[in-house]
């Protein structure tokens, strides 16, 4: 039997602060700390993939001795260490605004966290968003922990074959040489959590990433006592088949909650970042049933109040579905602990709970068991409500209770040093401490045009140098001739307009849209007076062969005799590559099929670095585009003919390049500065930076979702869950008696014409059956009527209880006449109770339809465009 032991870097006592700095990922976005690690040994820093833990363990003792006697280095180290200590003890936005008013604990669950390139535990935008979310939670001081999985091989490393076909490598992550710590208890024993698969117990140990003040706990199933197949559960991110996926999601959701309980951290609010962790909602219910003697319905009310769900994609592949038999097999012993039947269990994850053939969907489970749900941009919120309105069949589409909070990016992680120095010089210091403050960013106009332009030129030059090094490395790996390797020093031109495209190569993102007319593209790129060049990077999922084919097309174009200096594909896209590309390009190209880009964040990173976005009006760009801060491809059209759409939008790209973008870039003044271009760059920075950053995003989550969820959950848990029990009993009562509710009559004088500024008086008589007047809300939806007789852009107005006429309740109110033209209204009755998270939570609505009652779904369709 192999006996295991751990070896850690041995540093002279004077250098011990380096270990403290290395183990807190605050250094990821601190320029002074990054400069410190580079100063230790620049070449070794690059060889270690910017991993300080590996760097410190690889240093020669002689180098350590030299550093410990280098007074300038020690002064630098001490200043960084003091800065870290001061940062950790400083006041934060959360403590200043909320102090100790609320006893709240938040847990943020995500299948991937993209914190830095040395931690390959992410694949793309979801992971980067998770990492940036955690960083901003730290900066703002939110009481939050992260929960994820610790992948032994992470996502794959990419390289291209000689014909340009994507190949995958899965090198092992050496956790003991990463800036993370194995979690142990006070006795030095490893802290573990456990779940069961088919009655078989599986353990997972915990690793902790420290991100400033925030801890992120990662579960690792590679435990010797586990079954060999279970040890592989955390082997690869998004690897394996459906069976592997459901085991990963059971570990993340159920195992993650159990891990937090082991650590003594019982969350008030659980944020499910995408549906991968949705099983946590079931585990929270089970724990409270077991501990507090609640029924399933009571525990569901109490726990759903504190559950938050964010969906990130309308693409079907992003919403995990499992066959019913697979779910039965994995949860046959778990469902009885919830005291519900397996059919009821499966119904929680089905759009139609009664359809035995429907798969179990994690997004549906999350939507059903979270009181607060949101999309990640304004457009995505609208699309998400359309996609999942079947869960609320009686509710008009625009009132489906799914909100939106537009994504952002972590400013300090993605902003280039060059622009940061300019901001320090010309903006107020608050840009660093308070990136949300719009007034601060107005001072971008004070930056001299020539200084901003020179900064962008330096960033472009850095990108070109980086690309050349990267290409030479790839050619050496392929054993290319020396002449070809030497020729790599001539690819790209630091003086030429540079267009960037870097992201996942999902087919809907259309990375090859700009290649559609190769002859026209060549004329644009090879123009002798005003040339352009393309820098492209990205990975396709290992099983996505159409995505791989797009990469092959681009790679072959980049290797062609006439374009090899103007088109580059950078292999193995990661955070490091992304940083160079978003900072160094002049134009950021984004070409998704609208409306499939839920948000997108790469364009935000580009914009804060003065790289102008050229994008389809999809995702966040619908909100970010202001006419003078970039360019829009089209006007937000949505096509049913994909071929026509591709042809039309590719032509728009060429037209924009030829007629606007390239001429503006090359139109220079006497000092060789493109003044008009720089004005667009300033507008871009001024409008994008204060709005599309994760500090603004996290503040929104805190104030609009986390804090209301915590207050709501606390209210339901008070006095041994008295309110939760009453709410569950009341919902059961409503379910039993709602069919007794009907609208008997609606009285309004609609025959006469009403003057602008007057009101239309209403009197509504409602038969309530076994319900009391205070248990219902009667509302009128009103607004202008279109040519089809449907209400558009309307409003919902509550009516007031006036009196009872026996068993009939009378409600009255006034509709204000604010605009001229033909208007309409419709009346509805909903169950009401103060403890509801939203008024549509019960799914019950009775609509007035004249003398004939229409099914709720029919009426909802007719008023689907009504706004709340």
């Amino acid at each position: 039997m192999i006996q295991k032991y751990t070896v850690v870097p041995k540093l002279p006592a004077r250098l011990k602060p380096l270990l403290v700095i290395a183990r807190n990922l605050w250094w990821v976005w601190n320029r002074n700390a990054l400069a410190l690690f580079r100063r230790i040994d620049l070449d070794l820093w690059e060889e270690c993939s910017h991993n300080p833990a590996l760097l410190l363990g690889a240093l020669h003792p002689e180098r350590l001795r030299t550093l410990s006697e280098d007074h300038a280095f020690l002064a630098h180290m001490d200043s960084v260490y003091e800065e870290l200590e001061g940062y950790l003890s400083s006041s934060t936005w959360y403590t200043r605004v909320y102090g100790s008013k609320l006893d709240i604990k938040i847990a943020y669950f995500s299948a991937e966290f993209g914190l830095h390139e040395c931690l390959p535990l992410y694949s793309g935008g979801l992971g980067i968003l998770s990492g940036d979310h955690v960083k901003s939670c730290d900066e703002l001081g939110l009481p939050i922990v992260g929960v994820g999985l610790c992948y032994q091989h992470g996502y794959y490393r990419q390289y291209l074959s000689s014909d340009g076909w994507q190949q995958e490598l899965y090198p092992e992550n050496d956790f003991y040489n990463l800036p993370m710590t194995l979690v142990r208890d006070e006795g030095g024993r490893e802290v573990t959590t456990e779940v069961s698969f088919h009655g078989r117990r599986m353990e997972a140990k915990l690793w902790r990433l420290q991100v400033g003040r925030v801890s992120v706990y990662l579960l690792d199933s590679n435990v010797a006592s586990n079954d060999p197949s279970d040890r592989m559960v955390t082997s690869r991110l998004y690897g394996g088949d459906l069976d592997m996926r459901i085991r990963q999601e059971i570990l993340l959701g159920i195992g993650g909650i159990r891990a937090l309980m082991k650590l003594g951290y019982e969350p008030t609010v659980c944020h499910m970042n995408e549906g991968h962790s949705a099983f946590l909602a079931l585990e929270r219910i089970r724990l409270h049933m077991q501990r507090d003697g609640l029924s399933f319905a009571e525990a569901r009310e109490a726990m759903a109040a504190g559950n938050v769900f964010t969906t990130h994609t309308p693409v079907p592949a992003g919403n995990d579905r499992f066959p019913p038999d697979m779910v039965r097999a994995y949860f046959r012993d778990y469902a009885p602990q919830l005291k519900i039947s397996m059919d009821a269990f499966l119904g929680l994850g089905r759009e139609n709970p009664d359809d035995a053939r429907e798969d179990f969907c994690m997004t549906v489970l999350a939507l059903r068991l979270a009181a607060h749900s949101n999309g990640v941009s304004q457009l995505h919120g609208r699309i998400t409500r359309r996609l999942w309105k079947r869960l609320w069949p009686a509710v008009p589409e625009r009132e489906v209770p799914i909100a939106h909070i537009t994504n952002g990016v972590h400013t300090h992680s993605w902003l280039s040093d060059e622009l940061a120095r300019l901001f320090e010089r010309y903006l107020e210091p608050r840009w660093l401490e308070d990136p949300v403050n719009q007034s601060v960013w107005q001072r971008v106009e004070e930056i001299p045009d020539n200084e901003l332009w020179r900064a962008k030129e330096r960033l472009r030059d850095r990108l070109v140098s980086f690309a050349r090094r990267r290409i030479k490395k790839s050619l050496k790996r392929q054993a290319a001739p020396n002449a070809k390797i030497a020729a790599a020093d001539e690819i790209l031109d630091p003086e030429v307009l540079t267009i960037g495209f870097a992201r996942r190569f999902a087919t809907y993102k259309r990375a090859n849209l700009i290649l559609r007319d190769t002859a026209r593209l060549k004329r644009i790129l090879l123009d002798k007076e005003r040339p352009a060049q393309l820098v492209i990077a990205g990975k396709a999922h290992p099983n996505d062969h159409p995505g791989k084919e797009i990469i092959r097309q681009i790679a072959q174009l980049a290797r062609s005799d006439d374009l090899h200096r103007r088109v580059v594909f950078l292999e193995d896209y990661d955070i490091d590559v992304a940083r160079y590309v978003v900072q160094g390009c002049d134009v950021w190209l984004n070409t998704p099929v609208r409306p499939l880009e839920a948000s997108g964040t790469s364009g935000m990173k580009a914009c804060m670095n003065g790289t102008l976005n050229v994008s389809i009006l999809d995702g966040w760009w619908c909100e970010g585009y202001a006419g003078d801060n970039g360019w829009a491809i089209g006007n937000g059209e949505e096509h049913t003919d994909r071929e026509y759409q591709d042809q039309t939008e590719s032509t728009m790209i060429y037209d924009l390049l030829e007629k606007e973008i390239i001429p503006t870039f090359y139109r220079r003044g006497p000092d060789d500065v493109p003044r008009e271009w720089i004005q667009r760059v300033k507008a871009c920075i001024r409008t994008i930076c204060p709005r599309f950053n994760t500090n603004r995003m996290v503040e929104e989550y805190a104030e609009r979702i986390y804090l209301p969820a915590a207050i709501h959950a606390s209210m339901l848990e008070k006095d041994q869950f008295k309110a939760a029990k009453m709410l569950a009993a009341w919902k059961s009562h409503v379910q039993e008696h709602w069919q007794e509710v009907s609208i008997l009559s609606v009285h309004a004088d609609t025959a006469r014409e009403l003057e602008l500024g007057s009101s239309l008086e209403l009197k509504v008589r409602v038969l309530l059956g076994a319900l009391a007047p205070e248990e219902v809300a009667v509302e009128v939806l009103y607004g202008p009527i279109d040519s089809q007789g449907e209400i558009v852009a309307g409003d919902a107005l509550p009516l007031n209880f006036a009196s009872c006429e026996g068993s009939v309740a009378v409600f009255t109110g006034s509709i204000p006449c604010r605009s001229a033209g033909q208007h309409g209204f419709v009346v509805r009755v909903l169950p009401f109770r103060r403890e509801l998270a939203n008024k549509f939570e019960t799914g019950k609505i009775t609509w007035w339809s004249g003398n004939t009652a229409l099914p709720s779904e029919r009426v909802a369709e007719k008023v689907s465009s009504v706004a709340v």
Side-chain angles (χ1 to χ4, degrees):
M1 179 181 290
I2 297 175
Q3 298 296 307
K4 298 179 181 179
Y5 58 94
T6 303
V7 178
V8 298
K10 181 181 179 181
L11 301 183
R14 187 66 181 87
L15 297 180
K16 291 293 185 183
L18 287 174
L19 283 175
V20 178
I21 298 166
R23 288 172 179 164
N24 192 313
L25 292 170
W26 163 86
W27 60 261
V28 166
W29 66 89
N30 184 278
R31 286 188 290 141
N32 200 20
L34 287 167
L36 177 69
F37 291 129
R38 284 194 289 263
R39 185 172 183 169
I40 291 172
D41 188 323
L42 182 58
D43 291 338
L44 189 57
W45 173 250
E46 294 296 332
E47 287 176 25
C48 292
S49 299
H50 309 155
N51 175 359
L54 189 58
L55 172 73
L56 296 178
L59 286 174
H60 192 277
E62 181 60 27
R63 179 57 179 160
L64 289 170
R65 187 189 66 79
T66 302
L67 290 172
S68 67
E69 297 173 356
D70 185 336
H71 296 295
F73 177 82
L74 294 174
H76 188 176
M77 179 191 71
D78 290 342
S79 73
V80 172
Y81 182 68
E82 290 169 10
E83 189 179 352
L84 172 60
E85 286 196 315
Y87 174 82
L88 295 177
S89 61
S90 63
S91 173
T92 65
W93 170 82
Y94 183 82
T95 55
R96 287 193 301 270
V97 176
Y98 296 100
S100 57
K101 297 176 187 175
L102 290 171
D103 182 17
I104 176 175
K105 293 179 180 178
I106 307 164
Y108 179 83
F109 286 71
S110 182
E112 47 177 308
F113 284 90
L115 291 158
H116 189 257
E117 60 264 25
C118 76
L119 290 161
L121 306 170
Y122 62 94
S123 73
L126 179 69
I128 302 301
L129 187 280
S130 300
D132 284 7
H133 189 112
V134 166
K135 292 172 187 176
S136 282
C137 283
D138 163 56
E139 286 189 347
L140 294 169
L142 264 68
I144 194 169
V145 299
V147 181
L149 299 181
C150 202
Y151 302 101
Q152 194 71 61
H153 299 90
Y155 207 50
Y156 68 89
R157 303 295 300 271
Q158 178 199 56
Y159 70 97
L160 302 187
S161 65
S162 58
D163 65 347
W165 192 256
Q166 174 181 287
Q167 305 291 317
E168 296 91 26
L169 288 173
Y170 290 90
E172 282 197 359
N173 288 321
D174 180 1
F175 300 147
Y176 292 93
N177 275 314
L178 290 176
M180 57 201 300
T181 308
L182 188 63
V183 180
R184 300 180 183 274
D185 62 19
E186 292 179 356
R189 296 177 296 272
E190 295 178 0
V191 175
T192 62
T193 185
E194 65 178 59
V195 293
S196 295
F197 298 143
H198 306 301
R200 183 179 67 249
R201 178 176 170 272
M202 187 195 82
E203 274 192 312
K205 54 190 174 185
L206 276 62
W207 295 87
R208 183 178 66 245
L209 293 168
Q210 196 63 37
V211 187
R213 308 168 185 85
V214 175
S215 296
V216 177
Y217 295 100
L218 304 176
L219 281 59
D220 175 11
S221 71
N222 189 15
V223 176
S225 59
N226 285 340
D227 183 90
S229 66
D230 292 341
R231 295 184 69 170
M232 298 298 291
V233 168
T234 56
S235 174
R236 294 182 182 179
L237 171 61
Y238 304 141
D241 55 12
L242 272 181
D243 186 72
M244 180 60 75
R245 178 64 67 88
I246 196 171
R247 287 195 282 167
Q248 288 183 334
E249 297 188 356
I250 289 170
L251 177 59
L252 176 60
I254 295 176
I257 287 291
R258 293 176 180 176
L260 293 180
M261 300 299 284
K262 272 276 191 81
L263 294 169
Y265 189 94
E266 184 169 356
T268 318
V269 175
C270 285
H271 187 169
M272 298 172 274
N273 191 44
E274 200 49 276
H276 308 115
S277 59
F279 289 133
L280 72 82
L282 297 171
E283 179 64 7
R284 296 189 82 198
I285 290 171
R286 188 193 69 82
L287 285 171
H288 282 278
M289 291 177 66
Q290 182 184 75
R291 188 181 68 186
D292 302 304
L294 304 178
S295 68
F296 176 81
E298 292 165 348
R300 177 178 177 173
E301 296 301 335
M303 291 302 97
N307 287 339
V308 177
F309 170 56
T310 299
T311 176
H312 285 266
T313 179
V315 178
N319 296 278
D320 290 338
R321 294 178 184 270
F322 299 109
D325 288 345
M326 179 180 287
V327 178
R328 284 192 187 92
Y330 276 100
F331 288 92
R332 65 170 182 258
D333 297 326
Y334 191 90
Q337 297 179 56
L338 300 174
K339 299 180 181 178
I340 58 174
S341 68
M342 182 53 71
D343 286 341
F345 185 97
L346 289 167
L348 293 170
R350 288 170 169 159
E351 293 182 61
N352 180 0
D354 299 322
D355 184 356
R357 297 167 300 176
E358 185 180 333
D359 284 344
F360 186 94
C361 178
M362 297 298 283
T363 301
V364 173
L365 178 67
L367 288 168
R368 288 199 190 281
L369 296 183
H372 309 270
S373 300
N374 68 280
V376 289
S377 72
Q378 190 176 68
L379 176 61
H380 181 233
R382 189 162 74 241
I383 298 303
T384 303
R385 289 188 286 274
R386 183 192 307 166
L387 281 175
W388 301 109
K389 63 182 180 181
R390 284 185 60 195
L391 299 183
W392 296 270
V395 179
E397 182 178 304
R398 288 188 62 176
E399 292 189 285
V400 167
I402 300 174
H404 82 273
I405 292 179
T406 303
N407 281 344
V409 295
H410 185 245
T411 303
H412 304 151
S413 291
W414 295 103
L415 185 65
S416 63
D417 288 351
E418 283 78 2
L419 264 69
R421 283 192 287 269
L422 278 182
F423 294 164
E424 287 170 0
R425 194 175 309 141
Y426 292 102
L427 306 188
E428 294 180 32
R430 282 185 298 164
W431 79 269
L432 192 61
E433 302 164 3
D434 186 15
V436 178
N437 193 311
Q438 300 224 11
S439 64
V440 171
W441 294 97
Q442 299 302 316
R443 298 187 65 172
V444 167
E445 296 296 339
E446 297 181 17
I447 300 175
D449 291 355
N450 65 321
E451 289 194 41
L452 183 53
W453 176 242
R454 301 308 170 207
K456 284 300 298 177
E457 287 192 309
R458 288 192 294 272
L459 289 169
R460 193 188 313 114
D461 189 68
R462 280 183 56 212
L463 170 60
V464 169
S465 298
F466 174 79
R468 289 172 177 173
R469 293 195 303 271
R470 198 85 171 189
I471 296 298
K472 289 175 75 172
K473 182 179 178 181
S474 175
L475 290 171
K476 288 177 181 177
R477 178 185 53 77
Q478 297 172 15
N482 288 336
K484 192 171 184 179
I485 295 173
D489 284 329
E490 299 176 4
I491 66 166
L492 302 180
D493 184 333
E495 303 295 326
V496 167
L497 172 73
T498 305
I499 303 166
F501 183 102
R503 52 184 48 83
R504 284 190 306 116
F505 266 63
T507 50
Y508 78 86
K509 293 179 182 285
R510 297 188 296 179
N512 57 347
L513 190 63
I514 195 173
L515 311 183
R516 192 172 177 87
D517 187 341
T518 308
R520 190 172 179 186
L521 177 62
K522 286 182 178 180
R523 289 199 302 273
I524 293 170
L525 299 181
L526 300 175
D527 186 288
K528 291 183 179 179
E529 299 298 323
R530 300 183 306 186
Q533 56 197 14
L534 277 170
V535 177
I536 303 173
K539 294 178 176 180
H541 188 278
N543 298 328
D544 182 5
H545 292 284
K548 288 184 175 183
E549 176 58 30
I550 294 174
I551 291 176
R552 188 188 67 81
Q553 292 173 18
I554 294 170
Q556 291 188 347
L557 187 72
R559 295 171 181 177
S560 63
D561 291 339
D562 49 354
L563 286 180
H564 73 278
R565 294 183 182 179
R566 288 286 180 260
V567 180
V568 166
F569 183 86
L570 298 177
E571 297 179 18
D572 203 24
Y573 182 49
D574 66 357
I575 290 176
D576 190 35
V577 174
R579 197 181 293 116
Y580 276 99
V581 180
V582 298
Q583 293 175 3
C585 286
D586 302 292
V587 168
W588 193 254
L589 185 63
N590 188 40
T591 53
V593 176
R594 178 184 163 112
L596 299 183
E597 184 81 283
S599 173
T601 56
S602 62
M604 302 174 190
K605 304 177 186 91
C607 285
M608 71 168 52
N609 284 287
T611 298
L612 297 177
N613 217 42
V614 179
S615 176
I616 301 292
L617 284 170
D618 195 12
W620 78 280
W621 192 233
C622 299
E623 300 165 56
Y625 178 58
D628 63 345
N629 61 351
W631 288 272
I633 303 169
N635 294 306
E637 304 91 346
E638 294 179 21
H639 301 270
T640 55
D641 186 335
R642 176 66 180 273
E643 176 66 22
Y644 172 78
Q645 181 177 11
D646 288 355
Q647 178 61 44
T648 301
E649 292 176 346
S650 64
T651 301
M652 289 178 180
I653 295 172
Y654 300 135
D655 287 344
L656 278 172
L657 287 170
E658 291 175 333
K659 299 174 183 178
E660 293 191 43
I661 297 170
I662 293 175
T664 305
F665 180 84
Y666 285 105
R667 194 178 298 125
R668 309 290 173 87
D671 56 357
D672 199 37
V673 175
R675 302 287 174 182
E676 185 182 345
W677 184 272
I678 290 299
Q679 287 309 305
R680 279 187 175 270
V681 169
K682 288 183 176 180
C684 171
I685 294 170
R686 187 182 67 248
T687 57
I688 301 304
C689 285
R691 291 177 57 201
F692 297 96
N693 63 75
T694 41
N695 284 44
R696 183 273 310 158
M697 182 191 80
V698 167
E699 284 184 17
E700 280 197 55
Y701 272 109
E703 294 179 331
R704 290 177 50 193
I705 296 185
Y706 291 161
L707 299 181
I711 293 168
H712 187 201
S714 176
M715 177 182 68
L716 292 177
E717 291 182 20
K718 193 182 298 182
D719 299 327
Q720 287 78 49
F721 297 90
K722 179 180 178 182
K725 293 174 182 177
M726 292 178 65
L727 182 58
W730 176 79
K731 280 189 176 181
S732 177
H733 175 68
V734 168
Q735 184 76 23
E736 182 180 354
H737 294 285
W738 190 254
Q739 72 274 11
E740 301 169 10
V741 175
S742 62
I743 300 172
L744 299 179
S745 64
V746 175
H747 297 284
D749 186 6
T750 58
R752 65 184 179 88
E753 292 182 340
L754 299 169
E755 293 181 347
L756 199 64
S758 64
S759 298
L760 176 64
E761 302 299 321
L762 293 181
K763 179 180 179 181
V764 179
R765 299 173 68 248
V766 182
L767 182 64
L768 295 178
L771 274 66
E774 60 270 18
E775 293 180 296
V776 300
V778 180
E779 297 180 340
V780 57
L781 273 69
Y782 68 96
I785 288 182
D786 64 14
S787 60
Q788 303 302 312
E790 295 183 4
I791 298 173
V792 293
D795 294 293
L797 178 73
L799 301 182
N800 302 310
F801 171 66
S803 63
C804 274
E805 300 173 356
S807 60
V808 176
V810 178
F811 294 80
T812 60
S814 302
I815 299 176
C817 299
R818 297 195 181 102
S819 61
Q822 189 175 36
H823 293 66
F825 71 86
V826 64
V827 176
R828 67 186 179 192
V829 184
L830 306 91
F832 172 79
R833 193 176 177 91
R834 184 173 60 90
E835 293 87 352
L836 292 174
N838 67 78
K839 61 187 178 184
F840 302 115
E841 192 175 318
T842 64
K844 299 294 184 183
I845 304 179
T846 294
W847 295 86
W848 168 248
S849 300
N851 294 322
T852 305
L854 282 179
S856 296
E857 295 85 347
R858 290 274 308 282
V859 181
E861 290 172 8
K862 291 180 70 63
V863 295
S864 62
S865 58
V866 172
V868 180

